[in-house]
Amino acid sequence: SKRYLLGAQIYRLGLVAAGRTNLRDICESMLTRIAAATGDTVFLAIRQGDDVLVIDRRIGTTPSRAMPLDVGMPRPLGVGATGLAILATLPEADVDRFIRANAQRLREHGLRPERLPQQVLRSRKNGYAYSRGYGPPRLSGIGIALHNRDHRCIGAISVTNLAARMTAAHRGEILRVLHDELVRIDARLRMVPMFT
C-alpha cells in the first residue's frame, strides 16, 4: 500500500531526546572528565518503566572493542551497573515485583534472577553498584544513582570496561573519581526545576 507507520522505537527515540534535553546537558562535562580520568567507557542512563535507557556515553582511552551498549538502547533494570544502581533505589516490594515480572528477560541477559536481591542489598550497603563479569564480552562496571533534592533517583552513571581491567586498585580509582565528580554535579541537579 506504500503507507508507512511509526513503530514502537519512535517512542524510545523521543524519550532519549527528552532525557538529553536536561540531564544529559547537565552531566556531559562530568562524563567527559570521568572517561578521561579512568580511561573507561562512561554511561548515563535513566529509568523507563522496567528498563534502563542509555541517554549518553563517553568512550575512554582503553575501551572494550565490543562495548554492547549504544545511546538509545534499552535493557532491563538490574542489568549492568546503571541498571543495578537504579534498581537498588527502589522499595523492596518494587524490586520483588520487577524480578518476578522480568525473570526470563534477566536470564536472557545472563543474570540469575534469584541472585539479584543479594546484589541489590550489597549495592545499598556499599553506596554504589558493582556489576561483575556480565556479557559477552565479559564486562564489569561501577554505577552510582543520581538523585534530586528529594532524594528521588533520576538516573545513574556507570564506568564500564572489560572485567579483566577492573582490578581492586582500578575500582578504587574509579570510586575516587566518581565521588569527586558527584560532589560537583549534586548541587547542579538539585537546582534544576525538572528534578525537584
Side-chain angles (χ1 to χ4, degrees):
S1 69
K2 294 191 179 186
R3 290 178 55 194
Y4 296 91
L5 300 173
L6 296 176
Q9 190 62 23
I10 195 70
Y11 175 70
R12 287 201 170 110
L13 289 173
L15 291 172
V16 171
R20 286 178 176 214
T21 305
N22 293 290
L23 188 59
R24 181 186 175 274
D25 292 343
I26 290 170
C27 294
E28 70 178 333
S29 60
M30 175 183 71
L31 301 178
T32 300
R33 286 192 302 268
I34 294 170
T38 64
D40 302 312
T41 300
V42 182
F43 294 100
L44 174 65
I46 58 172
R47 179 182 177 196
Q48 187 57 48
D50 282 350
D51 287 338
V52 168
L53 188 68
V54 174
I55 61 171
D56 204 357
R57 86 172 177 183
R58 294 290 184 283
I59 297 176
T61 55
T62 59
S64 161
R65 296 283 178 231
M67 195 60 70
L69 207 55
D70 291 317
V71 172
M73 187 180 231
R75 61 184 179 174
L77 289 169
V79 176
T82 52
L84 185 55
I86 292 173
L87 186 64
T89 68
L90 299 181
E92 208 63 51
D94 290 351
V95 172
D96 292 343
R97 180 213 55 82
F98 166 78
I99 293 171
R100 282 193 311 273
N102 292 277
Q104 184 56 39
R105 291 179 67 211
L106 291 167
R107 286 187 196 95
E108 289 166 6
H109 282 82
L111 293 183
R112 295 175 67 181
E114 65 276 10
R115 291 187 176 175
L116 204 47
Q118 186 61 39
Q119 290 178 289
V120 166
L121 287 174
R122 190 177 306 119
S123 299
R124 290 174 181 160
K125 179 182 175 187
N126 293 338
Y128 64 90
Y130 178 47
S131 180
R132 184 181 348 204
Y134 66 95
R138 289 185 51 78
L139 300 172
S140 290
I142 294 176
I144 296 184
L146 301 173
H147 297 88
N148 67 3
R149 72 174 71 174
D150 297 324
H151 304 288
R152 182 175 56 87
C153 178
I154 55 173
I157 59 170
S158 70
V159 179
T160 302
N161 212 318
L162 292 172
R165 179 170 162 77
M166 290 292 177
T167 63
H170 189 56
R171 291 195 310 269
E173 175 190 342
I174 290 169
L175 287 168
R176 283 190 295 277
V177 171
L178 285 173
H179 179 268
D180 291 347
E181 290 297 334
L182 287 175
V183 167
R184 295 182 195 181
I185 204 71
D186 190 53
R188 291 189 65 194
L189 289 173
R190 291 166 192 261
M191 291 170 51
V192 178
M194 78 166 286
F195 298 133
T196 58

